[in-house]
Amino acid sequence: MIKAIRGTRDILPPSSAVWNGVEASAREVFRTFNYQEIRTPLFEETVLFARGVGAETDIVSKEMYSWEDRDGTSITLRPENTASVIRSYIEHRMDQWVGVKKLYYMGPMFRRERPQKGRYRQFFQIGAECIGSESPLIDAEVIELVVEILERCGVEGAKLLVNSVGCPRCRPSFIETLKASLQAVKGNMCEDCQRRADTNALRVLDCKVEADQPVIDALPSILDHLCGECSTHFATVKELLEARGIAYEVKPRLVRGLDYYTKTTFEFVHGALGAQSAVCGGGRYDGLAESLGSRVAAPGIGFSIGEDRLVMTIEEARGGETAAGPDLFIAPMGDAAQKHAAVLARDLRREGLVVEVSSDRKLKRALETANKTAARWTLILGDDELAAGTYSLKAMASGEQRSVKREEIAPAVKRLTAPVAVQS
Protein backbone atom coordinates (compact mmCIF):
# COMPACT_ATOMS: atom_id res chain seq x y z
CA MET A 1 0.00 0.00 0.00
CA ILE A 2 1.33 3.43 -0.96
CA LYS A 3 1.14 5.95 1.89
CA ALA A 4 1.75 9.68 2.20
CA ILE A 5 5.43 10.61 2.46
CA ARG A 6 6.73 11.05 6.00
CA GLY A 7 6.17 14.59 7.17
CA THR A 8 3.17 15.11 4.89
CA ARG A 9 -0.48 14.31 5.47
CA ASP A 10 -3.97 14.39 4.04
CA ILE A 11 -6.33 16.98 5.50
CA LEU A 12 -9.68 15.22 5.75
CA PRO A 13 -13.20 16.25 6.79
CA PRO A 14 -14.19 17.50 9.33
CA SER A 15 -10.76 19.12 9.81
CA SER A 16 -10.83 20.56 6.28
CA ALA A 17 -13.90 22.60 7.25
CA VAL A 18 -11.90 24.20 10.07
CA TRP A 19 -9.09 25.00 7.62
CA ASN A 20 -11.56 26.64 5.23
CA GLY A 21 -13.06 28.63 8.09
CA VAL A 22 -9.65 29.84 9.26
CA GLU A 23 -8.70 30.98 5.77
CA ALA A 24 -12.05 32.71 5.23
CA SER A 25 -11.67 34.56 8.54
CA ALA A 26 -8.10 35.58 7.69
CA ARG A 27 -9.14 36.85 4.26
CA GLU A 28 -11.85 38.98 5.82
CA VAL A 29 -9.43 40.53 8.32
CA PHE A 30 -6.89 41.19 5.55
CA ARG A 31 -9.63 42.93 3.56
CA THR A 32 -10.46 45.29 6.42
CA PHE A 33 -6.75 46.20 6.78
CA ASN A 34 -6.54 46.85 3.00
CA TYR A 35 -4.20 43.94 2.17
CA GLN A 36 -4.22 42.39 -1.30
CA GLU A 37 -3.39 38.75 -2.09
CA ILE A 38 -0.15 37.73 -3.81
CA ARG A 39 0.53 34.21 -5.11
CA THR A 40 4.15 33.30 -5.74
CA PRO A 41 5.57 30.08 -7.29
CA LEU A 42 6.10 27.04 -5.09
CA PHE A 43 9.74 26.88 -6.20
CA GLU A 44 12.41 29.49 -6.85
CA GLU A 45 16.10 29.64 -7.67
CA THR A 46 18.05 28.39 -4.66
CA VAL A 47 20.16 31.55 -4.62
CA LEU A 48 17.08 33.57 -3.60
CA PHE A 49 16.86 31.78 -0.25
CA ALA A 50 20.64 31.54 0.23
CA ARG A 51 20.93 35.31 -0.11
CA GLY A 52 17.62 36.28 1.46
CA VAL A 53 17.25 33.83 4.34
CA GLY A 54 20.97 33.37 5.02
CA ALA A 55 23.42 30.69 3.92
CA GLU A 56 24.33 29.79 7.52
CA THR A 57 20.75 29.40 8.77
CA ASP A 58 19.46 25.91 9.52
CA ILE A 59 16.82 26.36 6.83
CA VAL A 60 19.33 26.87 4.03
CA SER A 61 22.11 24.64 5.32
CA LYS A 62 20.04 21.62 6.40
CA GLU A 63 16.32 21.81 5.65
CA MET A 64 15.65 22.90 2.06
CA TYR A 65 14.40 20.62 -0.71
CA SER A 66 16.68 21.51 -3.63
CA TRP A 67 17.56 19.91 -6.95
CA GLU A 68 19.36 20.74 -10.17
CA ASP A 69 17.08 21.52 -13.10
CA ARG A 70 17.84 20.29 -16.62
CA ASP A 71 19.56 23.55 -17.51
CA GLY A 72 21.83 23.28 -14.47
CA THR A 73 19.94 25.85 -12.36
CA SER A 74 19.58 24.96 -8.69
CA ILE A 75 15.88 25.03 -7.76
CA THR A 76 14.34 24.93 -4.27
CA LEU A 77 10.84 24.37 -2.96
CA ARG A 78 10.07 27.50 -0.99
CA PRO A 79 10.86 27.04 2.73
CA GLU A 80 9.24 30.41 3.53
CA ASN A 81 7.58 33.12 1.49
CA THR A 82 8.98 36.52 2.50
CA ALA A 83 11.98 36.20 0.18
CA SER A 84 9.66 35.22 -2.68
CA VAL A 85 7.38 38.21 -2.04
CA ILE A 86 10.33 40.59 -2.02
CA ARG A 87 11.69 38.99 -5.22
CA SER A 88 8.30 39.64 -6.81
CA TYR A 89 8.26 43.19 -5.41
CA ILE A 90 11.60 43.92 -7.09
CA GLU A 91 10.85 42.10 -10.35
CA HIS A 92 7.54 43.88 -10.90
CA ARG A 93 8.76 47.30 -9.73
CA MET A 94 6.19 47.60 -6.98
CA ASP A 95 8.26 50.47 -5.59
CA GLN A 96 6.55 52.56 -8.27
CA TRP A 97 3.10 51.70 -6.96
CA VAL A 98 1.39 54.35 -4.84
CA GLY A 99 1.68 54.16 -1.08
CA VAL A 100 2.67 51.36 1.24
CA LYS A 101 2.35 47.93 -0.36
CA LYS A 102 0.23 45.54 1.74
CA LEU A 103 0.34 41.95 0.51
CA TYR A 104 -0.85 38.67 2.00
CA TYR A 105 -0.49 35.00 1.04
CA MET A 106 -1.68 31.54 1.97
CA GLY A 107 -0.12 28.26 0.90
CA PRO A 108 2.31 25.39 1.44
CA MET A 109 5.99 25.68 2.39
CA PHE A 110 8.57 22.88 2.52
CA ARG A 111 11.34 22.08 5.02
CA ARG A 112 12.96 18.74 5.76
CA GLU A 113 12.63 18.92 9.53
CA ARG A 114 12.02 16.12 12.00
CA PRO A 115 8.23 15.67 12.02
CA GLN A 116 6.58 16.23 15.39
CA LYS A 117 3.39 17.67 16.85
CA GLY A 118 2.37 20.68 14.77
CA ARG A 119 5.44 20.44 12.51
CA TYR A 120 5.40 18.88 9.05
CA ARG A 121 7.72 18.80 6.04
CA GLN A 122 4.94 20.23 3.92
CA PHE A 123 3.30 22.83 6.10
CA PHE A 124 1.00 25.76 5.47
CA GLN A 125 1.37 29.43 6.27
CA ILE A 126 -0.90 32.45 6.30
CA GLY A 127 1.30 35.51 6.08
CA ALA A 128 1.55 39.15 5.15
CA GLU A 129 4.18 41.68 4.18
CA CYS A 130 3.86 45.46 4.51
CA ILE A 131 6.55 47.11 2.38
CA GLY A 132 7.57 50.73 2.02
CA SER A 133 7.63 52.25 5.51
CA GLU A 134 10.08 52.32 8.44
CA SER A 135 7.47 53.70 10.82
CA PRO A 136 6.80 51.95 14.14
CA LEU A 137 3.14 52.71 13.44
CA ILE A 138 3.25 49.99 10.80
CA ASP A 139 4.87 47.54 13.24
CA ALA A 140 2.05 48.02 15.74
CA GLU A 141 -0.61 47.74 13.04
CA VAL A 142 0.85 44.49 11.71
CA ILE A 143 0.82 43.00 15.22
CA GLU A 144 -2.76 44.23 15.67
CA LEU A 145 -3.64 42.47 12.41
CA VAL A 146 -2.40 39.15 13.82
CA VAL A 147 -4.39 39.71 17.02
CA GLU A 148 -7.53 40.28 14.93
CA ILE A 149 -6.99 37.08 12.92
CA LEU A 150 -6.46 34.98 16.04
CA GLU A 151 -9.51 36.47 17.75
CA ARG A 152 -11.65 36.04 14.63
CA CYS A 153 -10.64 32.38 14.57
CA GLY A 154 -11.67 31.95 18.20
CA VAL A 155 -8.15 31.47 19.59
CA GLU A 156 -7.94 32.50 23.24
CA GLY A 157 -4.91 32.63 25.49
CA ALA A 158 -2.23 33.40 22.88
CA LYS A 159 0.67 35.38 24.36
CA LEU A 160 2.54 38.06 22.43
CA LEU A 161 6.33 38.16 22.86
CA VAL A 162 8.28 41.13 21.46
CA ASN A 163 11.92 42.14 21.11
CA SER A 164 14.27 44.25 19.02
CA VAL A 165 17.22 42.66 17.25
CA GLY A 166 18.79 46.00 16.38
CA CYS A 167 20.01 47.12 12.99
CA PRO A 168 23.21 46.86 10.87
CA ARG A 169 24.70 49.73 12.89
CA CYS A 170 24.31 48.28 16.39
CA ARG A 171 23.85 44.54 15.94
CA PRO A 172 27.39 43.69 14.69
CA SER A 173 29.00 44.92 17.91
CA PHE A 174 26.47 42.96 19.97
CA ILE A 175 27.20 39.83 17.96
CA GLU A 176 30.92 40.22 18.63
CA THR A 177 30.16 40.58 22.34
CA LEU A 178 27.90 37.54 22.17
CA LYS A 179 30.54 35.47 20.36
CA ALA A 180 33.13 36.36 22.97
CA SER A 181 30.79 35.31 25.77
CA LEU A 182 29.94 32.06 24.01
CA GLN A 183 33.54 30.95 23.68
CA ALA A 184 33.74 30.28 27.40
CA VAL A 185 30.45 28.37 27.67
CA LYS A 186 29.69 26.78 24.29
CA GLY A 187 31.32 23.50 25.35
CA ASN A 188 28.43 23.06 27.81
CA MET A 189 25.77 23.52 25.12
CA CYS A 190 24.13 21.28 22.53
CA GLU A 191 25.89 20.41 19.28
CA ASP A 192 23.84 22.91 17.24
CA CYS A 193 24.70 25.75 19.62
CA GLN A 194 28.39 24.87 19.52
CA ARG A 195 28.29 25.20 15.74
CA ARG A 196 26.15 28.37 15.79
CA ALA A 197 28.47 30.02 18.31
CA ASP A 198 30.97 30.37 15.45
CA THR A 199 28.72 30.62 12.38
CA ASN A 200 25.52 32.37 13.50
CA ALA A 201 25.79 33.41 17.14
CA LEU A 202 22.43 35.20 17.27
CA ARG A 203 20.64 31.91 16.58
CA VAL A 204 22.02 30.47 19.82
CA LEU A 205 19.46 32.63 21.63
CA ASP A 206 16.70 30.76 19.80
CA CYS A 207 17.78 27.32 21.05
CA LYS A 208 14.92 25.25 22.48
CA VAL A 209 17.07 22.65 24.28
CA GLU A 210 16.03 22.81 27.94
CA ALA A 211 19.52 22.11 29.32
CA ASP A 212 20.92 25.12 27.42
CA GLN A 213 18.46 27.67 28.85
CA PRO A 214 20.43 28.59 32.02
CA VAL A 215 23.49 29.24 29.87
CA ILE A 216 21.49 31.35 27.41
CA ASP A 217 19.84 33.35 30.21
CA ALA A 218 23.30 34.43 31.41
CA LEU A 219 24.39 35.71 27.97
CA PRO A 220 24.43 39.46 27.15
CA SER A 221 21.10 41.05 26.20
CA ILE A 222 20.75 42.79 22.87
CA LEU A 223 18.48 45.38 24.49
CA ASP A 224 21.55 46.71 26.31
CA HIS A 225 23.35 47.26 22.98
CA LEU A 226 20.70 48.99 20.84
CA CYS A 227 21.60 52.27 19.17
CA GLY A 228 19.51 55.36 19.88
CA GLU A 229 17.35 54.94 16.77
CA CYS A 230 16.54 51.29 17.52
CA SER A 231 15.81 52.04 21.19
CA THR A 232 13.41 54.84 20.23
CA HIS A 233 11.75 52.67 17.57
CA PHE A 234 11.19 49.80 20.01
CA ALA A 235 9.89 52.11 22.75
CA THR A 236 7.39 53.61 20.32
CA VAL A 237 6.18 50.19 19.18
CA LYS A 238 5.52 49.23 22.81
CA GLU A 239 3.65 52.50 23.45
CA LEU A 240 1.47 51.93 20.38
CA LEU A 241 0.65 48.38 21.48
CA GLU A 242 -0.32 49.67 24.92
CA ALA A 243 -2.52 52.35 23.33
CA ARG A 244 -4.33 49.58 21.44
CA GLY A 245 -4.80 47.54 24.61
CA ILE A 246 -2.58 44.73 23.30
CA ALA A 247 -0.77 42.92 26.11
CA TYR A 248 2.82 41.86 25.45
CA GLU A 249 5.92 40.49 27.14
CA VAL A 250 9.40 41.72 26.26
CA LYS A 251 11.65 38.72 25.66
CA PRO A 252 15.27 39.85 25.11
CA ARG A 253 16.29 36.38 23.86
CA LEU A 254 13.66 36.35 21.11
CA VAL A 255 15.28 36.22 17.68
CA ARG A 256 13.93 34.94 14.41
CA GLY A 257 15.51 32.05 12.53
CA LEU A 258 16.20 34.09 9.40
CA ASP A 259 19.08 36.51 8.82
CA TYR A 260 17.07 39.33 7.27
CA TYR A 261 15.31 40.57 10.41
CA THR A 262 16.04 44.02 11.91
CA LYS A 263 14.54 45.96 14.82
CA THR A 264 11.10 44.64 15.82
CA THR A 265 10.62 40.88 16.14
CA PHE A 266 7.61 39.15 17.66
CA GLU A 267 5.97 35.78 18.28
CA PHE A 268 2.56 34.58 19.40
CA VAL A 269 2.72 31.41 21.49
CA HIS A 270 -0.05 29.16 22.77
CA GLY A 271 0.05 26.56 25.52
CA ALA A 272 -2.03 24.01 23.59
CA LEU A 273 0.95 23.32 21.32
CA GLY A 274 3.38 22.03 23.95
CA ALA A 275 7.08 22.48 23.23
CA GLN A 276 6.38 23.78 19.71
CA SER A 277 4.34 26.63 21.15
CA ALA A 278 4.78 29.33 18.47
CA VAL A 279 1.70 29.81 16.32
CA CYS A 280 2.96 32.96 14.58
CA GLY A 281 6.25 34.77 14.11
CA GLY A 282 7.28 37.93 12.38
CA GLY A 283 9.39 41.04 12.33
CA ARG A 284 10.96 43.89 10.41
CA TYR A 285 13.42 43.37 7.53
CA ASP A 286 14.51 46.80 6.33
CA GLY A 287 17.52 45.65 4.29
CA LEU A 288 16.19 42.51 2.63
CA ALA A 289 15.19 44.08 -0.70
CA GLU A 290 18.62 45.64 -1.15
CA SER A 291 20.33 42.31 -0.41
CA LEU A 292 18.25 40.76 -3.20
CA GLY A 293 19.24 43.40 -5.75
CA SER A 294 16.79 46.26 -5.30
CA ARG A 295 18.22 49.64 -6.19
CA VAL A 296 15.52 51.31 -4.10
CA ALA A 297 15.23 50.98 -0.33
CA ALA A 298 12.16 48.93 0.60
CA PRO A 299 11.81 48.71 4.38
CA GLY A 300 9.21 46.20 5.44
CA ILE A 301 7.66 44.11 8.17
CA GLY A 302 5.70 40.90 7.99
CA PHE A 303 4.59 37.74 9.73
CA SER A 304 3.60 34.17 9.04
CA ILE A 305 1.04 32.13 10.95
CA GLY A 306 1.63 28.39 11.04
CA GLU A 307 -1.77 27.29 9.80
CA ASP A 308 -1.22 23.66 10.84
CA ARG A 309 -0.60 24.79 14.41
CA LEU A 310 -3.43 27.31 14.36
CA VAL A 311 -5.95 24.67 13.26
CA MET A 312 -4.59 22.26 15.88
CA THR A 313 -5.11 24.93 18.56
CA ILE A 314 -8.69 25.50 17.44
CA GLU A 315 -9.51 21.79 17.27
CA GLU A 316 -8.02 21.07 20.70
CA ALA A 317 -9.95 23.99 22.21
CA ARG A 318 -13.17 22.57 20.79
CA GLY A 319 -12.41 19.06 22.00
CA GLY A 320 -12.97 17.59 18.55
CA GLU A 321 -15.99 18.10 16.34
CA THR A 322 -17.94 16.00 13.91
CA ALA A 323 -18.47 17.23 10.38
CA ALA A 324 -21.57 19.32 9.83
CA GLY A 325 -24.22 17.31 8.00
CA PRO A 326 -26.32 18.52 5.06
CA ASP A 327 -29.10 21.00 5.71
CA LEU A 328 -31.55 18.84 3.81
CA PHE A 329 -31.60 15.17 2.84
CA ILE A 330 -34.10 14.38 0.07
CA ALA A 331 -35.51 10.86 0.12
CA PRO A 332 -37.32 10.22 -3.21
CA MET A 333 -39.45 7.08 -3.53
CA GLY A 334 -39.81 5.95 -7.16
CA ASP A 335 -38.58 6.95 -10.62
CA ALA A 336 -40.78 10.02 -11.00
CA ALA A 337 -39.78 11.24 -7.54
CA GLN A 338 -36.10 10.66 -8.33
CA LYS A 339 -36.26 12.90 -11.40
CA HIS A 340 -38.23 15.54 -9.49
CA ALA A 341 -35.75 15.39 -6.59
CA ALA A 342 -32.79 16.13 -8.87
CA VAL A 343 -34.38 19.36 -10.12
CA LEU A 344 -35.60 20.31 -6.65
CA ALA A 345 -32.12 19.78 -5.19
CA ARG A 346 -30.59 21.98 -7.89
CA ASP A 347 -33.01 24.81 -7.11
CA LEU A 348 -32.53 24.56 -3.34
CA ARG A 349 -28.74 24.55 -3.69
CA ARG A 350 -29.04 27.76 -5.67
CA GLU A 351 -30.87 29.17 -2.64
CA GLY A 352 -27.84 28.39 -0.50
CA LEU A 353 -28.83 25.10 1.13
CA VAL A 354 -26.53 22.07 1.45
CA VAL A 355 -28.60 19.29 -0.11
CA GLU A 356 -27.99 15.54 -0.41
CA VAL A 357 -30.25 13.30 -2.54
CA SER A 358 -30.67 9.67 -1.50
CA SER A 359 -30.13 6.85 -3.98
CA ASP A 360 -31.97 4.36 -1.71
CA ARG A 361 -35.43 3.34 -2.88
CA LYS A 362 -36.56 2.22 0.58
CA LEU A 363 -37.63 4.89 3.05
CA LYS A 364 -36.24 3.12 6.13
CA ARG A 365 -32.75 2.87 4.65
CA ALA A 366 -32.92 6.47 3.40
CA LEU A 367 -33.80 7.72 6.90
CA GLU A 368 -30.96 5.66 8.40
CA THR A 369 -28.54 7.28 5.96
CA ALA A 370 -29.94 10.73 6.79
CA ASN A 371 -29.27 10.08 10.48
CA LYS A 372 -25.73 8.81 9.84
CA THR A 373 -24.86 11.86 7.75
CA ALA A 374 -26.22 14.16 10.53
CA ALA A 375 -28.75 15.76 8.19
CA ARG A 376 -30.84 18.41 9.92
CA TRP A 377 -33.96 17.81 7.84
CA THR A 378 -35.25 15.08 5.55
CA LEU A 379 -37.69 15.76 2.72
CA ILE A 380 -39.75 12.67 1.87
CA LEU A 381 -40.94 12.61 -1.71
CA GLY A 382 -43.23 9.91 -3.10
CA ASP A 383 -46.13 9.50 -5.49
CA ASP A 384 -48.64 10.92 -2.99
CA GLU A 385 -46.53 14.03 -2.42
CA LEU A 386 -46.07 14.56 -6.16
CA ALA A 387 -49.80 14.23 -6.79
CA ALA A 388 -50.71 16.63 -3.97
CA GLY A 389 -47.98 19.15 -4.79
CA THR A 390 -46.74 19.08 -1.20
CA TYR A 391 -43.72 17.62 0.53
CA SER A 392 -43.25 15.82 3.83
CA LEU A 393 -40.52 17.60 5.84
CA LYS A 394 -39.08 15.82 8.87
CA ALA A 395 -36.88 17.42 11.56
CA MET A 396 -34.30 14.74 12.31
CA ALA A 397 -33.53 15.93 15.84
CA SER A 398 -37.11 15.96 17.12
CA GLY A 399 -38.82 13.60 14.68
CA GLU A 400 -41.49 16.23 14.00
CA GLN A 401 -42.97 15.87 10.51
CA ARG A 402 -45.22 18.23 8.55
CA SER A 403 -46.40 18.99 5.04
CA VAL A 404 -44.96 21.99 3.23
CA LYS A 405 -45.37 23.58 -0.18
CA ARG A 406 -42.43 24.11 -2.52
CA GLU A 407 -41.93 27.76 -1.57
CA GLU A 408 -41.93 26.89 2.14
CA ILE A 409 -39.03 24.41 2.04
CA ALA A 410 -36.05 26.78 2.10
CA PRO A 411 -37.46 29.18 4.75
CA ALA A 412 -38.40 26.25 7.01
CA VAL A 413 -34.96 24.65 6.72
CA LYS A 414 -33.06 27.92 7.14
CA ARG A 415 -34.85 28.75 10.39
CA LEU A 416 -32.92 26.00 12.16
CA THR A 417 -29.90 25.94 9.89
CA ALA A 418 -27.08 28.40 10.56
CA PRO A 419 -23.63 28.39 8.96
CA VAL A 420 -20.89 26.83 11.08
CA ALA A 421 -18.57 29.65 12.17
CA VAL A 422 -14.91 29.26 12.98
CA GLN A 423 -15.33 31.09 16.28
CA SER A 424 -16.93 28.94 18.95
Side-chain angles (χ1 to χ4, degrees), residues 142-152 160 246 268:
V142 166
I143 293 172
E144 179 188 2
L145 170 56
V146 179
V147 172
E148 289 295 320
I149 291 176
L150 296 179
E151 289 184 353
R152 188 72 64 92
L160 169 62
I246 298 175
F268 285 83

Side-chain angles (χ1 to χ4, degrees), residues 262-391:
T262 60
K263 295 182 180 175
T264 306
T265 59
F266 62 90
E267 275 188 359
F268 285 83
V269 296
H270 197 281
L273 296 172
Q276 298 297 324
S277 61
V279 72
C280 170
R284 179 163 283 283
Y285 46 83
D286 290 346
L288 177 59
E290 293 92 317
S291 72
L292 295 178
S294 175
R295 298 178 181 176
V296 180
I301 182 171
F303 67 86
S304 63
I305 295 173
E307 192 173 358
D308 305 80
R309 297 182 183 181
L310 178 57
V311 170
M312 183 185 299
T313 302
I314 294 169
E315 290 178 328
E316 292 193 5
R318 294 180 179 183
E321 318 187 316
T322 57
D327 300 326
L328 182 67
F329 188 92
I330 301 179
M333 303 292 111
D335 291 338
Q338 197 83 44
K339 293 176 182 178
H340 185 85
V343 176
L344 179 62
R346 178 200 64 190
D347 294 341
L348 292 172
R349 287 166 182 152
R350 289 175 177 176
E351 294 185 53
L353 295 181
V354 179
V355 180
E356 185 72 37
V357 180
S358 174
S359 59
D360 289 318
R361 296 303 182 97
K362 293 184 178 181
L363 180 58
K364 182 180 179 181
R365 288 203 325 212
L367 291 175
E368 288 175 353
T369 302
N371 268 320
K372 290 177 180 178
T373 59
R376 295 174 173 88
W377 297 85
T378 295
L379 192 73
I380 302 169
L381 181 56
D383 293 339
D384 292 343
E385 286 78 13
L386 286 177
T390 60
Y391 304 83

Side-chain angles (χ1 to χ4, degrees), residues 179 182-183 186 192-201 204:
K179 281 184 175 180
L182 282 169
Q183 295 309 306
K186 68 179 183 179
D192 280 340
C193 282
Q194 292 181 38
R195 173 177 53 82
R196 292 168 181 160
D198 298 318
T199 62
N200 194 352
V204 171

Side-chain angles (χ1 to χ4, degrees), residues 46-69:
T46 303
V47 66
L48 172 66
F49 303 112
R51 289 168 57 186
V53 176
E56 296 298 332
T57 61
D58 286 354
I59 292 174
V60 173
S61 63
K62 298 194 298 184
E63 297 170 0
M64 294 200 313
Y65 284 97
S66 302
W67 70 96
E68 188 174 291
D69 207 356

